[in-house]
Amino acid sequence: MRIVMFYHSLLSDWNHGNAHFLRGIVSELLARGHDVRVYEPENGWSLANMRAEYGDAPIQDFRAVYPGLESIFYRLESLDLDQVLDGADLVLVHEWNDHELVRRIGQHHARINQPYRLLFHDTHHRAITDPAGIAAYDLSQYDGVLAFGGVIRDLYLQNGWAAHAWTWHEAADTRVFYPRVGKIRLTPNPSPFTERGDLAASDSPSLLAERGAGGEANDLIWIGNWGDDERIAELHEFLIEPVRALGLNARVYGVRYPDQARTALAQAGIEYGGWLPNFRVPEVFAQYRVTVHVPRRPYVAALPGIPTIRPFEAMACGIPLISAPWQDAENLFTPGEDYLVARDGAEMRRCLHDVLNDPALAQSLSEHGLATIRARHTCAHRVDELLAIYESLTTPETELHL
């Protein structure tokens, strides 16, 4: 099957979390023998910022980790959709695309009347925080919407933005995200299609206790961007103050940290590491004993059931996870077993103390979280869902509820 995808960037994950899931989905589709072509705008915002700061070295590293993945660059004003979409069976258009591109692809779908199926993919909170921006997309000629949470799916249907919508959660790319020991790469899950949920002996998170050059691991790692004032108070309550109060050895990676944020980190004794390519995250997780999840405010306040991709990736690496509150309305995980939930800063301090001082608890969280990811939340599972949605569109009598 020929699949054509329009996304902001496959090559760059600089302040661009959508690249994480996209890479895993494309890798899985290619492994199954599909012809996949990813189009991204020439000099897109994320890629341009990455290149301005780091040059082309991260792109070379990306190609070494993902040797089969490549983008095709385009300019909107000269994009020939007749050529690009010739022979396509399935076309995915991400919401972080120009409104004009979204409209033109929809019009092409209607005008040419080709048999490909056309889906819009939404992985952001703008349906809540910027509904006018979402409403401005012309999806009238699209076959439906892939929404990364049930609440987003329902908004598309309730507001009449789309006639059909399905829930398509993000997931971990377990070809890259799996437990490591120090700098030694463990054998990944041998097949995404078999033994889901089973832990091979070489993958056991019990080996996490052996991290570090001297046999000792650092305490806490947090990987995430400071963002647009969406969680400043939460980062202080659930990350910075607990680390300071407990005197932990901690490090943070991410971008868009203003001077006051870096000062707050330094005052709490937290090292700031700058941007970290996402495919390097598993190696960094392997040097630390615990991580935390601090959701952005829109997800906590108005978007229950959407954890974003970071918790999936952390649990896939077998590192114990403690989360600030979010409502798992879609029962993706088992809170208390896959990860701990801290309702406030005081409880975060207690949870961190317990995980760092109770090896059995840390081991249990590692095993439970990893098993849940492998059983239900890999990119292989999401490709199964995507192909089932495609089948439901090509075979009208098929009913599918996701």
mmCIF file of all heavy atoms in Angstrom, residues 12-52:
data_model
loop_
_atom_site.group_PDB
_atom_site.id
_atom_site.type_symbol
_atom_site.label_atom_id
_atom_site.label_comp_id
_atom_site.label_asym_id
_atom_site.label_seq_id
_atom_site.Cartn_x
_atom_site.Cartn_y
_atom_site.Cartn_z
ATOM 1 N N SER A 12 13.388 16.603 12.338
ATOM 2 C CA SER A 12 13.688 17.393 13.534
ATOM 3 C C SER A 12 12.648 17.188 14.624
ATOM 4 O O SER A 12 11.440 17.258 14.366
ATOM 5 C CB SER A 12 13.744 18.889 13.174
ATOM 6 O OG SER A 12 13.885 19.669 14.352
ATOM 7 N N ASP A 13 13.119 16.967 15.857
ATOM 8 C CA ASP A 13 12.221 16.940 17.014
ATOM 9 C C ASP A 13 12.533 18.109 17.950
ATOM 10 O O ASP A 13 12.165 18.083 19.116
ATOM 11 C CB ASP A 13 12.309 15.606 17.763
ATOM 12 C CG ASP A 13 13.712 15.277 18.270
ATOM 13 O OD1 ASP A 13 14.303 16.112 18.989
ATOM 14 O OD2 ASP A 13 14.215 14.196 17.939
ATOM 15 N N TRP A 14 13.171 19.148 17.424
ATOM 16 C CA TRP A 14 13.462 20.346 18.229
ATOM 17 C C TRP A 14 12.142 21.031 18.550
ATOM 18 O O TRP A 14 11.498 21.607 17.671
ATOM 19 C CB TRP A 14 14.389 21.279 17.447
ATOM 20 C CG TRP A 14 14.969 22.409 18.255
ATOM 21 C CD1 TRP A 14 16.200 22.443 18.845
ATOM 22 C CD2 TRP A 14 14.346 23.673 18.543
ATOM 23 N NE1 TRP A 14 16.386 23.641 19.496
ATOM 24 C CE2 TRP A 14 15.262 24.421 19.330
ATOM 25 C CE3 TRP A 14 13.119 24.244 18.233
ATOM 26 C CZ2 TRP A 14 14.980 25.700 19.795
ATOM 27 C CZ3 TRP A 14 12.828 25.519 18.709
ATOM 28 C CH2 TRP A 14 13.751 26.233 19.463
ATOM 29 N N ASN A 15 11.719 20.973 19.826
ATOM 30 C CA ASN A 15 10.437 21.514 20.258
ATOM 31 C C ASN A 15 9.293 21.012 19.381
ATOM 32 O O ASN A 15 8.341 21.731 19.084
ATOM 33 C CB ASN A 15 10.461 23.047 20.246
ATOM 34 C CG ASN A 15 9.366 23.636 21.132
ATOM 35 O OD1 ASN A 15 9.153 23.169 22.245
ATOM 36 N ND2 ASN A 15 8.672 24.646 20.646
ATOM 37 N N HIS A 16 9.398 19.770 18.975
ATOM 38 C CA HIS A 16 8.433 19.199 18.025
ATOM 39 C C HIS A 16 8.184 17.736 18.391
ATOM 40 O O HIS A 16 8.750 16.821 17.814
ATOM 41 C CB HIS A 16 8.984 19.321 16.593
ATOM 42 C CG HIS A 16 8.098 18.718 15.560
ATOM 43 N ND1 HIS A 16 8.580 17.872 14.588
ATOM 44 C CD2 HIS A 16 6.757 18.810 15.364
ATOM 45 C CE1 HIS A 16 7.577 17.485 13.822
ATOM 46 N NE2 HIS A 16 6.469 18.035 14.276
ATOM 47 N N GLY A 17 7.323 17.531 19.395
ATOM 48 C CA GLY A 17 7.077 16.185 19.885
ATOM 49 C C GLY A 17 6.358 15.283 18.912
ATOM 50 O O GLY A 17 6.386 14.058 19.064
ATOM 51 N N ASN A 18 5.703 15.839 17.895
ATOM 52 C CA ASN A 18 4.998 14.997 16.936
ATOM 53 C C ASN A 18 5.948 14.109 16.144
ATOM 54 O O ASN A 18 5.540 13.067 15.623
ATOM 55 C CB ASN A 18 4.181 15.859 15.966
ATOM 56 C CG ASN A 18 3.271 16.843 16.667
ATOM 57 O OD1 ASN A 18 3.247 18.008 16.333
ATOM 58 N ND2 ASN A 18 2.530 16.383 17.665
ATOM 59 N N ALA A 19 7.216 14.530 16.040
ATOM 60 C CA ALA A 19 8.188 13.721 15.307
ATOM 61 C C ALA A 19 8.406 12.366 15.967
ATOM 62 O O ALA A 19 8.697 11.376 15.275
ATOM 63 C CB ALA A 19 9.521 14.470 15.208
ATOM 64 N N HIS A 20 8.265 12.286 17.286
ATOM 65 C CA HIS A 20 8.520 11.033 18.006
ATOM 66 C C HIS A 20 7.615 9.929 17.468
ATOM 67 O O HIS A 20 8.075 8.845 17.072
ATOM 68 C CB HIS A 20 8.239 11.188 19.505
ATOM 69 C CG HIS A 20 8.928 12.331 20.158
ATOM 70 N ND1 HIS A 20 8.921 12.486 21.529
ATOM 71 C CD2 HIS A 20 9.631 13.387 19.678
ATOM 72 C CE1 HIS A 20 9.604 13.577 21.852
ATOM 73 N NE2 HIS A 20 10.023 14.142 20.747
ATOM 74 N N PHE A 21 6.329 10.167 17.500
ATOM 75 C CA PHE A 21 5.340 9.174 17.087
ATOM 76 C C PHE A 21 5.424 8.919 15.590
ATOM 77 O O PHE A 21 5.336 7.774 15.136
ATOM 78 C CB PHE A 21 3.948 9.672 17.482
ATOM 79 C CG PHE A 21 2.823 8.712 17.201
ATOM 80 C CD1 PHE A 21 2.869 7.397 17.642
ATOM 81 C CD2 PHE A 21 1.696 9.131 16.499
ATOM 82 C CE1 PHE A 21 1.818 6.518 17.393
ATOM 83 C CE2 PHE A 21 0.640 8.272 16.247
ATOM 84 C CZ PHE A 21 0.705 6.962 16.688
ATOM 85 N N LEU A 22 5.617 9.974 14.818
ATOM 86 C CA LEU A 22 5.701 9.835 13.367
ATOM 87 C C LEU A 22 6.819 8.885 12.979
ATOM 88 O O LEU A 22 6.638 8.002 12.119
ATOM 89 C CB LEU A 22 5.921 11.212 12.736
ATOM 90 C CG LEU A 22 6.161 11.248 11.228
ATOM 91 C CD1 LEU A 22 4.960 10.704 10.471
ATOM 92 C CD2 LEU A 22 6.491 12.672 10.776
ATOM 93 N N ARG A 23 7.979 9.029 13.594
ATOM 94 C CA ARG A 23 9.104 8.158 13.271
ATOM 95 C C ARG A 23 8.783 6.693 13.549
ATOM 96 O O ARG A 23 9.116 5.804 12.762
ATOM 97 C CB ARG A 23 10.332 8.586 14.068
ATOM 98 C CG ARG A 23 10.899 9.927 13.654
ATOM 99 C CD ARG A 23 11.869 10.468 14.687
ATOM 100 N NE ARG A 23 12.485 11.725 14.250
ATOM 101 C CZ ARG A 23 13.258 12.476 15.021
ATOM 102 N NH1 ARG A 23 13.504 12.114 16.279
ATOM 103 N NH2 ARG A 23 13.770 13.597 14.554
ATOM 104 N N GLY A 24 8.122 6.446 14.676
ATOM 105 C CA GLY A 24 7.774 5.067 15.004
ATOM 106 C C GLY A 24 6.749 4.485 14.057
ATOM 107 O O GLY A 24 6.843 3.310 13.657
ATOM 108 N N ILE A 25 5.756 5.293 13.671
ATOM 109 C CA ILE A 25 4.722 4.815 12.755
ATOM 110 C C ILE A 25 5.318 4.531 11.377
ATOM 111 O O ILE A 25 5.040 3.490 10.764
ATOM 112 C CB ILE A 25 3.574 5.844 12.656
ATOM 113 C CG1 ILE A 25 2.816 5.906 13.981
ATOM 114 C CG2 ILE A 25 2.626 5.505 11.507
ATOM 115 C CD1 ILE A 25 2.133 4.611 14.380
ATOM 116 N N VAL A 26 6.141 5.437 10.877
ATOM 117 C CA VAL A 26 6.753 5.228 9.571
ATOM 118 C C VAL A 26 7.658 4.002 9.592
ATOM 119 O O VAL A 26 7.641 3.180 8.668
ATOM 120 C CB VAL A 26 7.536 6.488 9.133
ATOM 121 C CG1 VAL A 26 8.305 6.217 7.841
ATOM 122 C CG2 VAL A 26 6.586 7.654 8.931
ATOM 123 N N SER A 27 8.435 3.841 10.657
ATOM 124 C CA SER A 27 9.305 2.663 10.765
ATOM 125 C C SER A 27 8.496 1.381 10.732
ATOM 126 O O SER A 27 8.871 0.392 10.060
ATOM 127 C CB SER A 27 10.117 2.722 12.063
ATOM 128 O OG SER A 27 10.995 3.828 12.075
ATOM 129 N N GLU A 28 7.384 1.359 11.443
ATOM 130 C CA GLU A 28 6.547 0.165 11.494
ATOM 131 C C GLU A 28 5.901 -0.122 10.142
ATOM 132 O O GLU A 28 5.850 -1.278 9.694
ATOM 133 C CB GLU A 28 5.478 0.337 12.573
ATOM 134 C CG GLU A 28 4.579 -0.875 12.781
ATOM 135 C CD GLU A 28 5.323 -2.101 13.284
ATOM 136 O OE1 GLU A 28 6.365 -1.933 13.952
ATOM 137 O OE2 GLU A 28 4.867 -3.228 12.986
ATOM 138 N N LEU A 29 5.409 0.913 9.487
ATOM 139 C CA LEU A 29 4.797 0.720 8.166
ATOM 140 C C LEU A 29 5.816 0.202 7.154
ATOM 141 O O LEU A 29 5.525 -0.702 6.357
ATOM 142 C CB LEU A 29 4.185 2.024 7.685
ATOM 143 C CG LEU A 29 2.900 2.475 8.393
ATOM 144 C CD1 LEU A 29 2.583 3.924 8.056
ATOM 145 C CD2 LEU A 29 1.725 1.563 8.019
ATOM 146 N N LEU A 30 7.017 0.765 7.183
ATOM 147 C CA LEU A 30 8.057 0.294 6.278
ATOM 148 C C LEU A 30 8.425 -1.157 6.562
ATOM 149 O O LEU A 30 8.636 -1.947 5.632
ATOM 150 C CB LEU A 30 9.295 1.184 6.397
ATOM 151 C CG LEU A 30 9.172 2.606 5.851
ATOM 152 C CD1 LEU A 30 10.418 3.420 6.212
ATOM 153 C CD2 LEU A 30 8.975 2.594 4.336
ATOM 154 N N ALA A 31 8.487 -1.515 7.840
ATOM 155 C CA ALA A 31 8.832 -2.892 8.211
ATOM 156 C C ALA A 31 7.788 -3.881 7.710
ATOM 157 O O ALA A 31 8.108 -5.059 7.465
ATOM 158 C CB ALA A 31 8.978 -3.006 9.731
ATOM 159 N N ARG A 32 6.570 -3.411 7.536
ATOM 160 C CA ARG A 32 5.500 -4.285 7.034
ATOM 161 C C ARG A 32 5.403 -4.278 5.507
ATOM 162 O O ARG A 32 4.498 -4.891 4.945
ATOM 163 C CB ARG A 32 4.169 -3.872 7.641
ATOM 164 C CG ARG A 32 4.126 -3.978 9.155
ATOM 165 C CD ARG A 32 2.717 -3.826 9.694
ATOM 166 N NE ARG A 32 2.700 -3.719 11.140
ATOM 167 C CZ ARG A 32 1.602 -3.815 11.883
ATOM 168 N NH1 ARG A 32 0.429 -4.029 11.309
ATOM 169 N NH2 ARG A 32 1.670 -3.694 13.202
ATOM 170 N N GLY A 33 6.324 -3.581 4.869
ATOM 171 C CA GLY A 33 6.381 -3.629 3.420
ATOM 172 C C GLY A 33 5.612 -2.557 2.685
ATOM 173 O O GLY A 33 5.479 -2.608 1.456
ATOM 174 N N HIS A 34 5.103 -1.547 3.392
ATOM 175 C CA HIS A 34 4.355 -0.481 2.736
ATOM 176 C C HIS A 34 5.299 0.564 2.135
ATOM 177 O O HIS A 34 6.424 0.763 2.599
ATOM 178 C CB HIS A 34 3.407 0.190 3.734
ATOM 179 C CG HIS A 34 2.352 -0.717 4.269
ATOM 180 N ND1 HIS A 34 1.279 -1.153 3.525
ATOM 181 C CD2 HIS A 34 2.227 -1.314 5.491
ATOM 182 C CE1 HIS A 34 0.527 -1.958 4.260
ATOM 183 N NE2 HIS A 34 1.080 -2.072 5.457
ATOM 184 N N ASP A 35 4.840 1.217 1.092
ATOM 185 C CA ASP A 35 5.556 2.317 0.460
ATOM 186 C C ASP A 35 5.111 3.609 1.148
ATOM 187 O O ASP A 35 3.962 4.028 1.005
ATOM 188 C CB ASP A 35 5.199 2.345 -1.032
ATOM 189 C CG ASP A 35 5.831 3.524 -1.775
ATOM 190 O OD1 ASP A 35 6.561 4.313 -1.143
ATOM 191 O OD2 ASP A 35 5.568 3.661 -2.988
ATOM 192 N N VAL A 36 6.007 4.218 1.926
ATOM 193 C CA VAL A 36 5.655 5.389 2.734
ATOM 194 C C VAL A 36 6.482 6.583 2.279
ATOM 195 O O VAL A 36 7.706 6.493 2.178
ATOM 196 C CB VAL A 36 5.893 5.134 4.231
ATOM 197 C CG1 VAL A 36 5.427 6.327 5.052
ATOM 198 C CG2 VAL A 36 5.193 3.860 4.686
ATOM 199 N N ARG A 37 5.802 7.697 2.026
ATOM 200 C CA ARG A 37 6.480 8.918 1.621
ATOM 201 C C ARG A 37 6.038 10.050 2.550
ATOM 202 O O ARG A 37 4.847 10.327 2.675
ATOM 203 C CB ARG A 37 6.153 9.256 0.161
ATOM 204 C CG ARG A 37 6.530 8.100 -0.771
ATOM 205 C CD ARG A 37 6.217 8.363 -2.215
ATOM 206 N NE ARG A 37 6.470 7.165 -3.010
ATOM 207 C CZ ARG A 37 6.416 7.122 -4.334
ATOM 208 N NH1 ARG A 37 6.106 8.225 -5.021
ATOM 209 N NH2 ARG A 37 6.654 5.990 -4.969
ATOM 210 N N VAL A 38 7.021 10.670 3.198
ATOM 211 C CA VAL A 38 6.743 11.741 4.155
ATOM 212 C C VAL A 38 7.184 13.067 3.554
ATOM 213 O O VAL A 38 8.346 13.220 3.160
ATOM 214 C CB VAL A 38 7.465 11.504 5.494
ATOM 215 C CG1 VAL A 38 7.173 12.643 6.461
ATOM 216 C CG2 VAL A 38 7.049 10.166 6.098
ATOM 217 N N TYR A 39 6.262 14.017 3.493
ATOM 218 C CA TYR A 39 6.549 15.352 2.973
ATOM 219 C C TYR A 39 6.565 16.343 4.123
ATOM 220 O O TYR A 39 5.663 16.365 4.953
ATOM 221 C CB TYR A 39 5.492 15.765 1.945
ATOM 222 C CG TYR A 39 5.625 15.033 0.627
ATOM 223 C CD1 TYR A 39 5.108 13.745 0.470
ATOM 224 C CD2 TYR A 39 6.293 15.620 -0.444
ATOM 225 C CE1 TYR A 39 5.248 13.061 -0.729
ATOM 226 C CE2 TYR A 39 6.443 14.942 -1.650
ATOM 227 C CZ TYR A 39 5.917 13.670 -1.790
ATOM 228 O OH TYR A 39 6.060 12.986 -2.980
ATOM 229 N N GLU A 40 7.621 17.159 4.160
ATOM 230 C CA GLU A 40 7.684 18.215 5.152
ATOM 231 C C GLU A 40 8.111 19.506 4.467
ATOM 232 O O GLU A 40 8.829 19.482 3.454
ATOM 233 C CB GLU A 40 8.624 17.873 6.303
ATOM 234 C CG GLU A 40 10.097 17.762 5.975
ATOM 235 C CD GLU A 40 10.938 17.525 7.238
ATOM 236 O OE1 GLU A 40 11.084 16.362 7.647
ATOM 237 O OE2 GLU A 40 11.425 18.535 7.802
ATOM 238 N N PRO A 41 7.664 20.657 4.966
ATOM 239 C CA PRO A 41 7.965 21.927 4.300
ATOM 240 C C PRO A 41 9.451 22.251 4.345
ATOM 241 O O PRO A 41 10.131 21.999 5.344
ATOM 242 C CB PRO A 41 7.149 22.948 5.087
ATOM 243 C CG PRO A 41 6.931 22.312 6.422
ATOM 244 C CD PRO A 41 6.823 20.844 6.171
ATOM 245 N N GLU A 42 9.932 22.789 3.256
ATOM 246 C CA GLU A 42 11.324 23.223 3.199
ATOM 247 C C GLU A 42 11.537 24.330 4.225
ATOM 248 O O GLU A 42 10.749 25.273 4.315
ATOM 249 C CB GLU A 42 11.631 23.726 1.785
ATOM 250 C CG GLU A 42 13.078 24.079 1.550
ATOM 251 C CD GLU A 42 13.319 24.463 0.102
ATOM 252 O OE1 GLU A 42 13.611 23.565 -0.701
ATOM 253 O OE2 GLU A 42 13.168 25.658 -0.236
ATOM 254 N N ASN A 43 12.585 24.187 5.017
ATOM 255 C CA ASN A 43 12.905 25.175 6.051
ATOM 256 C C ASN A 43 11.770 25.347 7.051
ATOM 257 O O ASN A 43 11.431 26.471 7.446
ATOM 258 C CB ASN A 43 13.257 26.529 5.416
ATOM 259 C CG ASN A 43 14.502 26.464 4.562
ATOM 260 O OD1 ASN A 43 15.473 25.817 4.945
ATOM 261 N ND2 ASN A 43 14.470 27.094 3.399
ATOM 262 N N GLY A 44 11.160 24.238 7.467
ATOM 263 C CA GLY A 44 10.142 24.288 8.504
ATOM 264 C C GLY A 44 10.711 24.840 9.802
ATOM 265 O O GLY A 44 11.926 24.800 10.051
ATOM 266 N N TRP A 45 9.825 25.339 10.649
ATOM 267 C CA TRP A 45 10.233 26.047 11.859
ATOM 268 C C TRP A 45 11.137 25.206 12.758
ATOM 269 O O TRP A 45 12.179 25.664 13.216
ATOM 270 C CB TRP A 45 8.973 26.477 12.610
ATOM 271 C CG TRP A 45 9.209 27.153 13.911
ATOM 272 C CD1 TRP A 45 9.503 28.468 14.127
ATOM 273 C CD2 TRP A 45 9.164 26.547 15.212
ATOM 274 N NE1 TRP A 45 9.640 28.721 15.478
ATOM 275 C CE2 TRP A 45 9.444 27.557 16.164
ATOM 276 C CE3 TRP A 45 8.909 25.254 15.654
ATOM 277 C CZ2 TRP A 45 9.479 27.299 17.536
ATOM 278 C CZ3 TRP A 45 8.954 24.995 17.026
ATOM 279 C CH2 TRP A 45 9.243 26.017 17.948
ATOM 280 N N SER A 46 10.748 23.960 13.031
ATOM 281 C CA SER A 46 11.530 23.116 13.931
ATOM 282 C C SER A 46 12.897 22.806 13.339
ATOM 283 O O SER A 46 13.930 22.938 14.007
ATOM 284 C CB SER A 46 10.773 21.816 14.223
ATOM 285 O OG SER A 46 11.556 20.934 15.011
ATOM 286 N N LEU A 47 12.926 22.397 12.080
ATOM 287 C CA LEU A 47 14.190 22.060 11.431
ATOM 288 C C LEU A 47 15.097 23.275 11.329
ATOM 289 O O LEU A 47 16.311 23.186 11.557
ATOM 290 C CB LEU A 47 13.915 21.475 10.048
ATOM 291 C CG LEU A 47 15.134 21.017 9.244
ATOM 292 C CD1 LEU A 47 15.888 19.920 9.987
ATOM 293 C CD2 LEU A 47 14.709 20.532 7.860
ATOM 294 N N ALA A 48 14.525 24.436 11.006
ATOM 295 C CA ALA A 48 15.324 25.647 10.882
ATOM 296 C C ALA A 48 15.961 26.024 12.221
ATOM 297 O O ALA A 48 17.143 26.413 12.274
ATOM 298 C CB ALA A 48 14.451 26.793 10.364
ATOM 299 N N ASN A 49 15.206 25.916 13.321
ATOM 300 C CA ASN A 49 15.759 26.228 14.636
ATOM 301 C C ASN A 49 16.852 25.240 15.022
ATOM 302 O O ASN A 49 17.881 25.636 15.594
ATOM 303 C CB ASN A 49 14.643 26.216 15.681
ATOM 304 C CG ASN A 49 13.919 27.537 15.770
ATOM 305 O OD1 ASN A 49 14.367 28.470 16.424
ATOM 306 N ND2 ASN A 49 12.782 27.635 15.096
ATOM 307 N N MET A 50 16.650 23.963 14.734
ATOM 308 C CA MET A 50 17.664 22.967 15.070
ATOM 309 C C MET A 50 18.951 23.225 14.302
ATOM 310 O O MET A 50 20.052 23.189 14.853
ATOM 311 C CB MET A 50 17.131 21.561 14.778
ATOM 312 C CG MET A 50 18.082 20.452 15.191
ATOM 313 S SD MET A 50 17.471 18.806 14.716
ATOM 314 C CE MET A 50 17.798 18.841 12.941
ATOM 315 N N ARG A 51 18.802 23.494 13.005
ATOM 316 C CA ARG A 51 19.989 23.738 12.185
ATOM 317 C C ARG A 51 20.710 25.018 12.608
ATOM 318 O O ARG A 51 21.947 25.079 12.601
ATOM 319 C CB ARG A 51 19.583 23.830 10.715
ATOM 320 C CG ARG A 51 19.439 22.478 10.028
ATOM 321 C CD ARG A 51 18.996 22.639 8.602
ATOM 322 N NE ARG A 51 19.313 21.446 7.818
ATOM 323 C CZ ARG A 51 18.688 21.110 6.699
ATOM 324 N NH1 ARG A 51 17.709 21.885 6.235
ATOM 325 N NH2 ARG A 51 19.032 20.027 6.041
ATOM 326 N N ALA A 52 19.956 26.035 12.979
ATOM 327 C CA ALA A 52 20.574 27.298 13.371
ATOM 328 C C ALA A 52 21.463 27.126 14.593
ATOM 329 O O ALA A 52 22.500 27.778 14.727
ATOM 330 C CB ALA A 52 19.484 28.334 13.645
#
